[in-house]
């Protein structure tokens, strides 16, 4: 059984108390009912969720007003590697944990935000093909005829 202190911790970059991760699923937000309460006006009531999956922590934004970032990039859901920089609104923390101590083995699980980004791109773009320019090809000819 994993001891609560072994799940990892969030270390604030601007000073303050370290947040100990005490269980495998955590809700982060301003509400007192959250597992990790961040008492800042720019943090949403339920801002984000952290879940432990295959020995790795994942972070999901819960539709927050001011966003959730990992390593400076806004995310919807992302794997958190050790040393990742998390930001809830403008409040930043460093993720400290050991995937091996939490049961990870082999390659890390897929990073969801990368998959979502690839899926958002069109098939032509993913295949490395250019779309034909379908703008009005007669526009320049019409302009040339107006010059007469």
């Amino acid at each position: 059984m994993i001891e609560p202190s072994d799940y990892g911790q969030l270390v604030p970059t601007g000073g303050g108390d370290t947040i100990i991760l005490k269980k495998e699923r955590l809700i982060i937000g301003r509400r007192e009912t959250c597992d990790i309460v961040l008492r800042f006006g720019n943090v949403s009531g339920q801002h984000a969720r952290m879940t432990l999956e295959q020995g790795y922590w994942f972070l999901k934004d819960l539709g927050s007003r001011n966003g959730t970032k990992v390593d400076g990039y806004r995310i919807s859901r992302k794997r958190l590697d050790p040393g990742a920089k998390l930001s809830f609104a403008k409040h930043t923390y460093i993720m400290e944990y050991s995937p091996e101590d939490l049961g990870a083995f082999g390659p890390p699980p897929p990073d969801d935000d990368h998959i979502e980004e690839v899926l958002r791109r069109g098939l032509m773009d993913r295949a490395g093909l250019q779309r034909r320019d379908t703008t009005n090809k007669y526009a320049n000819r019409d302009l040339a005829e107006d010059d007469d």
Side-chain angles (χ1 to χ4, degrees):
M1 181 167 162
I2 297 173
E3 294 297 318
S5 60
D6 293 337
Y7 283 112
Q9 58 189 11
L10 297 175
V11 179
T13 60
D17 295 334
T18 295
I19 299 169
I20 303 297
L21 307 178
K22 296 182 178 181
K23 57 185 186 174
E24 296 180 12
R25 181 183 163 109
L26 300 161
I27 300 294
I28 300 160
R30 195 177 66 244
R31 289 186 190 151
E32 292 299 321
T33 56
C34 292
D35 300 300
I36 297 174
V37 179
L38 300 178
R39 294 178 182 91
F40 303 107
N42 59 350
V43 172
S44 294
Q46 286 194 336
H47 198 97
R49 178 178 58 231
M50 291 178 66
T51 54
L52 185 62
E53 302 171 22
Q54 300 173 39
Y56 285 86
W57 281 102
F58 281 78
L59 180 65
K60 178 175 178 47
D61 184 82
L62 297 176
S64 66
R65 232 177 347 154
N66 292 315
T68 303
K69 292 181 179 180
V70 174
D71 295 328
Y73 295 97
R74 195 168 186 146
I75 59 105
S76 57
R77 184 176 190 273
K78 180 149 180 60
R79 185 184 68 235
L80 299 174
D81 294 324
K85 187 187 292 186
L86 289 61
S87 297
F88 308 101
K90 301 271 185 204
H91 310 281
T92 305
Y93 301 83
I94 301 295
M95 182 73 191
E96 293 183 354
Y97 76 106
S98 169
E100 294 79 21
D101 291 349
L102 298 176
F105 61 92
D111 190 358
D112 291 7
D113 259 10
H114 174 71
I115 293 169
E116 286 180 23
E117 182 62 35
V118 168
L119 293 177
R120 273 187 233 131
R121 294 172 34 210
L123 285 174
M124 296 286 284
D125 187 36
R126 283 190 262 166
L129 301 172
Q130 299 277 330
R131 287 189 179 197
R132 193 174 358 180
D133 185 8
T134 58
T135 58
N136 187 352
K137 60 185 172 185
Y138 300 106
N140 289 337
R141 187 170 53 167
D142 291 341
L143 289 174
E145 289 174 4
D146 289 342
D147 291 339
D148 291 335

